[in-house]
Amino acid sequence: MKKRATIIILLLIVIVFGGAMYYLYQKNAEDPVTYETEQASTQNIVKKTVATGSILPLEEVLIKPNISGVIQEVYVEGGDFVKTGDLLAKIKVVPNLNALNDARNAIDGAKIALSDQQRNLERQKGLFDKGVISKVDLERAQVAFDQAKQSYGAANKRFDIVKTGTTSGYGNAANTLIRSTVSGMVLEVPVEVGNQVIESNNFNEGTTIAAVADVEKMIFEGKVDESEVGKISENLPLEITVGAIEDKVFNAVLDYIAPKGNAENGAIQFEIKGTLTKQDTTFIRAGLSANASIILAKADSVLALKEALIQFDSKTKKPFVEIAIGDQKFERRDVELGISDGIFVEVKSGIGSKDEIKVWNTIEPDENVDN
């Protein structure tokens, strides 16, 4: 038994020794790791964040009626240019029966009062001719008659206004004629002939007849996430790209950041606005979707490296690179970094443009992947 155990132990030792020798042979047979190198280059680096939104007019005015009724005529359509005072639409008044009845009763009452004052004036004239009353009494009777006559005329005009929305002598001031209060382009006319509209008053904002805006003064209105709002500030430059307008970039300036965010889809969003500085004749339609690149920092013609070449000390967390000093021989070199755009990073000091930088994290191709 002892002889058999000894033989088994010797066999195991031989097998283990042989496996170790084979492993060492395989390791020595492998090709040594070869690192590639790259040089720094001169780059324009722009650090920015992106906000999504749309293009809107700086000031959009909603034209509303001062009287309720039915649209009788519409004189403009979207895209038309109008000036202050131009006629947009005409309203046909649908009178309220109670108001119409009150106006009719007011006419009847004013007519009775006028007839009474007329008779009184005639009596006073007769008495004055006979020398019974003074001229002052006659003049008082004349004044009372004139006032009754004026009240009768006002009652008739009130009846016409209640019934038709206008009366003789008012012309362009009639409430039934809807005119533009500003100059600009008509963006939309949300009503058609036959639509009923409600007047604008203290209790109701009224029906919009047309939206008018100056399309030469446009703004970008968008939203940024709470993680980005701390990086931006007013007066930063914006680069606006509109999806519907290819190969065009519009410059703008960030002039508003909302002090309060709103929750949307589980994230807090802050509203921002930027005024476009239009310098060409490109027509931008209101409401077009757009993206704004907010320029946080910019460096032109600076020495830069790919971020993938930068290493960080495990203890101090300071950046460094490895410089080639011979054939596959490298030494550490600490560097000072500037701004980054996510691909390239500015190198302020530590290396030169001719230094060969070790590509330390090269990914080896998978030989098992079929070509």
Side-chain angles (χ1 to χ4, degrees), residues 160-205:
D160 290 340
I161 292 173
V162 171
K163 185 178 181 180
T164 65
T166 186
T167 187
S168 60
Y170 284 86
N172 293 338
N175 289 338
T176 55
L177 301 177
I178 310 302
R179 298 181 180 276
S180 177
T181 57
V182 294
S183 298
M185 176 184 285
V186 179
L187 300 182
E188 63 172 340
V189 181
V191 295
E192 297 178 353
V193 174
N195 288 162
Q196 188 168 1
V197 295
I198 301 174
E199 66 180 288
S200 175
N201 52 46
N202 293 335
F203 306 101
N204 195 307
E205 64 178 10

Side-chain angles (χ1 to χ4, degrees), residues 58 142 170 241 282-283 320 337 363:
L58 177 61
Q142 182 67 49
Y170 284 86
T241 54
T282 304
F283 176 60
F320 69 91
L337 303 180
I363 300 176

Side-chain angles (χ1 to χ4, degrees), residues 63-75:
I63 310 299
K64 300 177 182 294
N66 292 325
I67 192 169
S68 299
V70 174
I71 297 295
Q72 186 175 4
E73 293 182 58
V74 177
Y75 302 108

Side-chain angles (χ1 to χ4, degrees), residues 242 245-249:
V242 182
I245 304 176
E246 297 181 357
D247 302 325
K248 283 283 186 179
V249 177

Side-chain angles (χ1 to χ4, degrees), residues 338-364:
I339 66 172
S340 169
D341 61 4
I343 300 176
F344 287 94
V345 60
E346 177 187 5
V347 180
K348 293 185 175 181
S349 64
I351 63 171
S353 59
K354 296 182 179 180
D355 289 332
E356 296 290 338
I357 313 300
K358 175 183 175 181
V359 182
W360 64 277
N361 58 349
T362 302
I363 300 176
E364 297 182 359

Side-chain angles (χ1 to χ4, degrees), residues 316-335:
T316 64
K317 306 302 181 183
K318 292 184 178 181
F320 69 91
V321 295
E322 293 184 61
I323 305 295
I325 58 174
D327 186 16
Q328 293 298 302
K329 294 182 180 180
F330 303 91
E331 72 173 8
R332 170 171 168 165
R333 189 79 60 82
D334 292 334
V335 293

